[in-house]
Amino acid sequence: MALSIAFEISIWITSVCGVLVAAWLLWRARHQPDLRALAGFAVMMALWCSGHLALLHNQETLGMVLVLANPLMPTFFLHFALLFVNEGTEKQPWLTRLIHIMPWIYATSIFIVICSIWAEAGDTVPLMDGRPFFVFNAHGAVNLAYTVLIGVLGHGVLLLGWQQHSGNKKRSILAMFGVAAWGLLLATSFVFPSFGINVFPYPMLLLPSYLLLLVYGVVRYQILDVNRFANRALLALAMMLVVLCVIAVLGAFSGPIGLQALATVPIWQLWLYSLVVLLTAAMVYPWLKRFSERLVFPGAVLNERILDNWNRELNHAGSWQALTLLGEQQLAQHLRQPVPICLEPADVPEELHIVVQKELNGWFAQPVHTNDISPGMRLTLDVFSSLFATQCAALERSLALAETERKRLDEQHLVELGSLSAAMAHELRNPLNIISMASYNSPADTRRHIQEQLTRADRLVSDMLVYSGKLTLQYQPVFIKPLLGSVLSSLNTDNVLITLQIEEQLEVNADPHRLQQVFINLIDNALAFVRNQGDGSICIEAHKENSELACRIHNNGPSLDPSIGQEELFRPFVSKRQGGSGLGLAIVRRILDAHHGQIGHRNDLNWPVTFEIRLPLNPTVQTKGESKDV
């Protein structure tokens, strides 16, 4: 009874798999219509297997009808092959004609099935412990020949498709050919009894694998979840084949090596027992794996969902500070305790933390001070560190791309603004000159007022040209104190105390004309606020700090509006004093950026207002007399 039971179980599994696969394929057919035909093939295989089950349980009439419907299986497969091959490439005329006549092929297959049932093209023979098994009689030759013909035609269509296609579809067709060979091997045992070869069809025990592998061959290179399932299925199939081979070798050599007890056991029982052990081990493996992980790494719960959540959250970071904060939040949420993430060496604590560094071959993250933590927590920190290092590399690339795009947009904006400013200067200065000449016949007070406003308008135009135009830097050594002396001599410093705290030999490699413009704008801006107060004072100090020139311009005028931030302060037309153009600080910022320098505002040096300039003393990208366009 064990032989027939094993066969019946195999047929049952194939039938159930056929129904499940057909349902899944119909669901997938919303996006891939050719899968409907493959679903029909799966349904027909399930019905064909049900016919064998009906015969085993003495339901001869139902069993004969279902088994003799055999031609419909290759018909559905042929339809699928035509649709699958003729999709996505240049249509083949004869394939298109075959698709159009598929209804006639279906009708022919149904006619063959009806004729086979009417002619009683099949019989049963006692096989497998006396239970009935289907065999073709003389009238079944047409049914069998037609089934083989349609199957060969379907595989011929696949062969044509393999020649036409490339990439994933070509590989899918190749996989389907391999599966077809496997199906031929399994189907061979079905026809043996029809030709009087009374050998039990052992290969049919593996019949469930044929349908699953056929579907796998179709979608192997298209659907990720199928790939994962197929990976496990192929592993189980390979293990079963290995077991069959090992048992066969043991059965053949157990007698000569003295294992008489093993030699007396029928080989089919050894196969069956081994497969049961293998299936049982495969079923309990996931639970044993989780148990061993919990035992060796207590407290470590890591799965794809957690890793996907970490990746998704860290991808939201747009800065290094945000990335560090998100990483610490994810760790604290998972481990129930804070774990600092240190990107700066100066911030490294003397406790458990993750240190992140950039090395020559990329980013590297490692947990530190892990002696007192559990193996599970150590595993979690190792996995998270590796993921965090990957995110650091991704953020670095993202920020570099964003900075490149920002510079491109800034340059484009300056080009457009420069063209606009040049056109506006040309259009404005002509009417301004006319107004200036016309004002000579006006009263003195009116003429003076007009001239002041014309001067203001001319300054605005000049500042716009400076801000928006291209800067050409002529680098040469510049002594700071004489340069400031010439600047102060050109400005009206009456009633204001000017103090210089600068060494005589302090020099910097820069463009003297542009640097003079920086000091003029900053000092003139300070004079505008302190000139009208009785104790107006400006102090200018400069000295070397490492490889930089640090220059601070203090004044005791009114403090700046605290609502204006550092970035906003140097934007055009933001901090605008009475009578100014609103471009002075923006021009200063642009000139210093061109020199690779910096400017900032400070109020922590015992002065109400301080502007601090930092310039490299000897820029390595330029030498004496060399120019640079910005």
Side-chain angles (χ1 to χ4, degrees):
M1 289 296 293
L3 285 171
S4 62
I5 291 174
F7 177 78
E8 185 176 356
I9 291 174
S10 174
I11 297 299
W12 265 112
I13 293 175
T14 306
S15 182
V16 172
C17 288
V19 174
L20 295 178
V21 167
W24 183 82
L25 287 172
L26 287 174
W27 176 75
R28 290 293 307 179
R30 297 174 301 172
H31 309 291
Q32 199 171 346
D34 54 352
L35 294 183
R36 294 192 186 97
L38 192 60
F41 172 81
V43 170
M44 289 311 304
M45 176 165 279
L47 294 175
W48 182 77
C49 291
S50 300
H52 286 287
L53 292 173
L55 291 176
L56 289 175
H57 291 277
N58 298 314
Q59 300 292 327
E60 186 171 341
T61 302
L62 177 62
M64 284 294 179
V65 170
L66 293 177
V67 174
L68 288 174
N70 186 50
L72 288 173
M73 273 196 297
T75 303
F76 276 107
F77 183 80
L78 171 62
H79 191 191
F80 162 74
L82 289 171
L83 294 174
F84 187 74
V85 170
N86 209 37
E87 179 187 23
T89 61
E90 184 179 351
K91 306 296 183 184
Q92 295 293 322
W94 73 277
L95 287 178
T96 305
R97 285 196 294 271
L98 273 178
I99 293 174
H100 289 159
I101 66 173
M102 273 307 301
W104 293 101
I105 299 178
Y106 277 113
T108 303
S109 300
I110 295 173
F111 177 75
I112 295 293
V113 171
I114 294 174
C115 290
S116 299
I117 296 173
W118 177 74
E120 298 181 353
D123 296 316
T124 59
V125 296
L127 196 66
M128 298 176 297
D129 303 321
R131 303 178 75 179
F133 187 80
F134 177 87
V135 293
F136 284 105
N137 56 28
H139 299 291
V142 175
N143 184 296
L144 184 59
Y146 179 81
T147 301
V148 172
L149 175 64
I150 297 298
V152 170
L153 182 58
H155 288 81
V157 170
L158 289 180
L159 179 61
L160 177 66
W162 181 80
Q163 294 175 343
Q164 288 181 345
H165 288 277
S166 61
N168 283 340
K169 180 162 282 193
K170 187 181 184 75
R171 289 186 283 269
S172 292
I173 293 175
L174 182 62
M176 291 166 64
F177 261 100
V179 174
W182 176 250
L184 180 63
L185 175 64
L186 301 182
T188 301
S189 60
F190 162 67
V191 300
F192 280 170
S194 300
F195 294 97
I197 304 175
N198 296 320
V199 178
F200 178 76
Y202 286 105
M204 290 191 72
L205 292 175
L206 300 176
L207 191 61
S209 65
Y210 172 51
L211 188 62
L212 296 178
L213 289 176
L214 181 62
V215 176
Y216 167 71
V218 176
V219 297
R220 163 66 181 90
Y221 298 97
Q222 301 173 20
I223 306 172
L224 183 60
D225 53 353
V226 174
N227 294 348
R228 293 171 179 169
F229 166 76
N231 181 58
R232 294 190 291 268
L234 287 176
L235 178 61
L237 178 62
M239 291 299 297
M240 285 191 288
L241 292 176
V242 170
V243 168
L244 291 176
C245 294
V246 170
I247 295 301
V249 172
L250 287 177
F253 294 97
S254 56
I257 63 176
L259 299 176
Q260 298 299 329
L262 184 61
T264 58
V265 179
I267 191 170
W268 67 265
Q269 291 187 7
L270 292 177
W271 279 343
L272 182 62
Y273 298 153
S274 300
L275 290 177
V276 169
V277 171
L278 181 62
L279 292 175
T280 303
M283 292 175 61
V284 302
Y285 171 74
W287 288 278
L288 293 177
K289 179 175 180 292
R290 284 196 290 269
F291 173 75
S292 62
E293 288 178 349
R294 297 284 180 87
L295 189 64
V296 177
F297 299 107
V301 181
L302 292 175
N303 51 45
E304 291 185 5
R305 182 184 61 81
I306 293 175
L307 297 180
D308 289 342
N309 181 65
W310 284 349
N311 263 321
R312 184 171 56 254
E313 292 297 325
L314 294 177
N315 277 332
H316 293 159
S319 64
W320 295 109
Q321 183 178 4
L323 181 63
T324 303
L325 181 61
L326 286 173
E328 291 176 347
Q329 290 175 350
Q330 293 299 311
L331 277 180
Q333 182 179 359
H334 187 78
L335 299 177
R336 308 295 181 186
Q337 75 174 65
V339 178
I341 299 176
C342 302
L343 291 172
E344 298 293 337
D347 299 333
V348 174
E350 294 297 329
E351 59 185 11
L352 175 64
H353 65 278
I354 295 177
V355 60
V356 184
Q357 297 175 339
K358 184 179 180 181
E359 300 180 349
L360 293 177
N361 56 349
W363 285 88
F364 176 76
Q366 181 181 15
V368 181
H369 299 302
T370 58
N371 295 332
D372 296 331
I373 65 175
S374 65
M377 184 180 292
R378 174 60 187 268
L379 175 64
T380 300
L381 290 175
D382 286 340
V383 173
F384 183 86
S385 298
S386 177
L387 187 147
F388 192 85
T390 303
Q391 289 294 331
C392 285
L395 179 60
E396 183 181 36
R397 291 192 297 270
S398 176
L399 292 178
L401 289 174
E403 179 65 18
T404 302
E405 179 65 13
R406 185 191 67 81
K407 290 182 178 179
R408 187 189 68 81
L409 292 176
D410 286 346
E411 291 174 358
Q412 180 180 354
H413 172 71
L414 287 175
V415 170
E416 294 172 353
L417 186 58
S419 300
L420 177 63
S421 300
M424 187 179 69
H426 176 73
E427 295 297 328
L428 284 179
R429 278 178 168 157
N430 287 334
L432 289 177
N433 290 333
I434 295 174
I435 294 173
S436 177
M437 289 185 294
S439 67
Y440 282 118
N441 296 325
S442 302
D445 291 341
T446 304
R447 185 170 60 251
R448 180 179 54 80
H449 180 68
I450 292 174
Q451 292 297 327
E452 288 177 354
Q453 297 304 317
L454 289 174
T455 302
R456 180 183 175 185
D458 187 69
R459 178 184 297 178
L460 176 60
V461 172
S462 299
D463 285 350
M464 287 190 66
L465 288 174
V466 172
Y467 178 72
S468 60
K470 183 171 72 172
L471 294 181
T472 300
L473 303 182
Q474 297 290 337
Y475 280 81
Q476 62 185 67
V478 179
F479 289 94
I480 300 301
K481 194 167 184 177
L483 179 66
L484 281 170
S486 71
V487 168
L488 292 173
S489 64
S490 65
L491 298 174
N492 181 12
T493 60
D494 295 342
N495 302 322
V496 178
L497 176 61
I498 305 294
T499 306
L500 297 180
Q501 299 178 2
I502 305 172
E503 298 178 3
E504 292 288 344
Q505 300 302 317
L506 182 61
E507 70 173 338
V508 64
N509 196 26
D511 185 313
H513 174 69
R514 298 300 183 183
L515 193 57
Q516 183 182 46
Q517 196 169 12
V518 167
F519 287 124
I520 289 175
N521 285 3
L522 290 176
I523 298 173
D524 186 55
N525 186 68
L527 287 171
F529 287 102
V530 302
R531 183 180 288 115
N532 296 325
Q533 63 185 48
D535 58 345
S537 177
I538 296 176
C539 178
I540 305 173
E541 59 170 301
H543 58 276
K544 294 181 181 179
E545 286 189 7
N546 299 325
S547 60
E548 290 183 330
L549 165 70
C551 180
R552 300 184 182 98
I553 302 175
H554 312 281
N555 72 77
N556 63 349
S559 300
L560 297 182
D561 186 349
S563 64
I564 301 178
Q566 286 280 354
E567 289 297 322
E568 188 178 5
L569 182 61
F570 296 96
R571 291 177 184 170
F573 309 111
V574 172
S575 178
K576 184 176 178 182
R577 61 181 172 86
Q578 185 66 29
S581 66
L583 290 170
L585 293 180
I587 292 172
V588 169
R589 173 72 169 271
R590 183 156 186 247
I591 293 174
L592 290 176
D593 284 344
H595 282 83
H596 305 288
Q598 296 176 340
I599 184 172
H601 166 257
R602 299 181 61 175
N603 56 7
D604 58 343
L605 299 175
N606 298 322
W607 287 84
V609 179
T610 298
F611 284 96
E612 183 178 55
I613 297 172
R614 289 189 173 271
L615 276 174
L617 292 173
N618 295 292
T620 57
V621 293
Q622 282 86 23
T623 58
K624 180 178 178 180
E626 185 176 348
S627 64
K628 176 187 177 185
D629 293 336
V630 182

